[in-house]
Amino acid sequence: MPTALITGATAGLGAAFARRLAAESCSLVLVARDEARLAETAGQLKLRYGVSVEVLPADLTTEEGLAAVESRVREGVDVLVNNAGFGNRGHFPEVPVADEVRMLRLHCEAVLRLTLAALPGMRERDRGAIVNVASAAAFFTRGTYSASKAWVVNFSESAANEVGNPRIKIMALCPGFVRTEFHQRADMDTSGIPGFLWLKADDVVREGLRDLALGKRVSVPDPRYKAIVAVGRLVPRGLQRYVSSRIGR
């Protein structure tokens, strides 16, 4: 039975990945900061899907937490989902530098280190999969969040190219606006976002895992966002910045 480790596993896309992979008979290792919520999530998954679920409470923005998860990944996982992430309250450059560095540590350093921890075992077994959750924001310009997610996309493509093994799949997942706790936690006003732009977490995960199976290195779920990203690459940067600032982070 394959083992999947998922960070940020108790809500949103992380919880959707856990449900989907459990339904595919994967043993799970769930990582999040809230120990009580982890235990509750694990109990629900065990009851519904009958799979083994291990919980690992850890804050990936701390050296202690990141090192603990790194160590568990080195023990061997078949699927790694780097999903944990957050958005800062406020706009650059008003956000405190400590908060910006914390975001970069989670979005970039944690993704880098956990990917590197997973790869030796995957190369030895000649198989494996790594999904790094980025965002459609990676293709636009909107503060440190979009910059960090652009790094995730570039890193995932570069890592897949350097590994050069089609049996070890590395992919950046780039969803648009998803109905999760993300925006509430960041205290973001989403009232200006049109209803048709919202996606369901389960749909994003289903399409993302389909693209992973097809060997894609970047997945933009949903035709609406495929079109938005494609157009965004063609329009002048000035117009792109204006639209990005109007729609929101």
Side-chain angles (χ1 to χ4, degrees):
M1 182 180 292
T3 299
L5 185 144
I6 305 162
T7 68
T10 56
L13 289 174
F17 268 110
R19 291 191 296 270
R20 182 76 181 192
L21 292 170
E24 295 179 2
S25 299
C26 285
S27 296
L28 301 177
V29 182
L30 306 182
V31 178
R33 292 178 298 171
D34 189 329
E35 188 169 0
R37 199 171 182 185
L38 270 175
E40 180 183 0
T41 301
Q44 292 170 349
L45 291 168
K46 289 177 184 177
L47 183 64
R48 181 172 180 181
Y49 299 103
V51 298
S52 170
V53 184
E54 175 185 343
V55 298
L56 179 51
D59 183 348
L60 293 174
T61 67
T62 68
E63 177 59 31
E64 180 183 11
L66 182 51
V69 180
E70 210 173 14
S71 176
R72 177 60 186 85
V73 170
R74 287 198 188 100
E75 292 177 16
V77 296
D78 301 283
V79 180
L80 169 64
V81 180
N82 283 310
N83 166 73
F86 68 91
N88 278 319
R89 294 175 172 85
H91 300 272
F92 181 87
E94 284 77 28
V95 176
V97 67
D99 292 345
E100 296 282 40
V101 171
R102 183 167 165 263
M103 175 188 283
L104 290 173
R105 183 159 211 195
L106 183 59
H107 291 181
C108 302
E109 183 182 351
V111 169
L112 169 67
R113 287 173 58 174
L114 296 185
T115 297
L116 287 172
L119 281 174
M122 291 181 177
R123 297 177 93 165
E124 183 178 343
R125 294 187 298 274
D126 194 34
R127 58 179 171 79
I130 299 172
V131 178
N132 296 323
V133 177
S135 169
F139 305 103
F140 298 90
T141 53
R142 188 66 180 176
T144 307
Y145 180 81
S146 66
S148 67
K149 293 303 186 180
W151 182 90
V152 172
V153 173
N154 192 305
F155 168 73
S156 300
E157 290 187 280
S158 299
N161 187 60
E162 291 294 329
V163 171
N165 183 344
R167 291 175 58 82
I168 300 175
K169 303 178 188 298
I170 304 176
M171 185 188 80
L173 177 63
C174 303
F177 295 111
V178 184
R179 296 286 186 188
T180 68
E181 299 174 2
F182 175 89
H183 300 92
Q184 291 88 342
R185 288 180 176 178
D187 195 26
M188 294 180 185
D189 179 11
T190 60
S191 60
I193 301 171
F196 72 89
L197 288 179
W198 288 100
L199 305 176
K200 295 179 180 178
D202 289 321
D203 293 341
V204 169
V205 168
R206 184 184 66 253
E207 292 190 40
L209 290 177
R210 180 199 62 196
D211 286 345
L212 181 70
L214 292 172
K216 293 187 178 182
R217 295 180 177 181
V218 178
S219 170
V220 181
D222 193 87
R224 290 165 288 184
Y225 281 97
K226 285 181 172 62
I228 288 170
V229 169
V231 171
R233 286 171 164 170
L234 296 175
V235 302
R237 297 291 283 182
L239 177 59
Q240 183 195 104
R241 288 192 294 270
Y242 172 77
V243 172
S244 177
S245 66
R246 295 290 292 180
I247 291 177
R249 289 180 289 165

